[in-house]
Amino acid sequence: QVQLVESGGGLVQAGDSLRLSCAASGRAFSSYAMGWFRQAPGKERDIVAAINWTGSNTYYADSVKGRFTISRDNAKNMVYLQMNSLKPDDTAIYYCAADARRGWYLAVSRREYDYWGQGTQVTVSS
């Protein structure tokens, strides 16, 4: 079983930056692909970014390209989401997720991820 715990959310103003962190339990973290998703009220949970097991390949949703950066530290069992130039439309609960079956693959559907954190709220005021 893998446990994921997100942190770093908060209330910020448009244009500000935040760094989300996700701490993972277990020895197999370095074999997992990881993703960040977000869900705004009344909307679906959508992919924000994904990273493969080595960190050599990444994916970004069009809405965050050039503003967000996903990274990981396998020695620390951590994955990060650096969010710059935040906009009110970025307001959502942000979730960390692990794809334990295909570490090389950048899955974009939430159905392809096996483990989820509890989420952290990000609110961007205008």
Side-chain angles (χ1 to χ4, degrees), residues 10-55:
L11 172 62
V12 297
Q13 293 187 330
D16 285 351
S17 297
L18 274 178
R19 188 196 196 202
L20 303 184
S21 298
C22 174
S25 65
R27 299 179 181 179
F29 173 77
S30 60
S31 68
Y32 300 159
M34 299 296 296
W36 284 99
F37 286 74
R38 67 186 181 186
Q39 188 168 18
K43 295 189 177 181
E44 296 288 319
R45 188 176 299 188
D46 292 327
I47 186 78
V48 174
I51 188 166
N52 70 345
W53 52 6
T54 62

Side-chain angles (χ1 to χ4, degrees), residues 35-109:
W36 284 99
F37 286 74
R38 67 186 181 186
Q39 188 168 18
K43 295 189 177 181
E44 296 288 319
R45 188 176 299 188
D46 292 327
I47 186 78
V48 174
I51 188 166
N52 70 345
W53 52 6
T54 62
S56 61
N57 200 12
T58 57
Y59 167 87
Y60 295 96
D62 287 344
S63 59
V64 306
K65 278 182 183 176
R67 299 189 298 124
F68 291 11
T69 303
I70 188 171
S71 62
R72 66 189 298 161
D73 185 337
N74 287 342
K76 297 182 178 179
N77 278 22
M78 297 290 295
V79 63
Y80 306 100
L81 185 68
Q82 178 67 42
M83 306 187 295
N84 298 330
S85 302
L86 283 161
K87 305 175 181 180
D89 284 350
D90 295 319
T91 296
I93 299 174
Y94 283 71
Y95 297 91
C96 174
D99 178 354
R101 292 166 288 166
R102 301 166 302 176
W104 68 91
Y105 185 66
L106 298 178
V108 298
S109 169

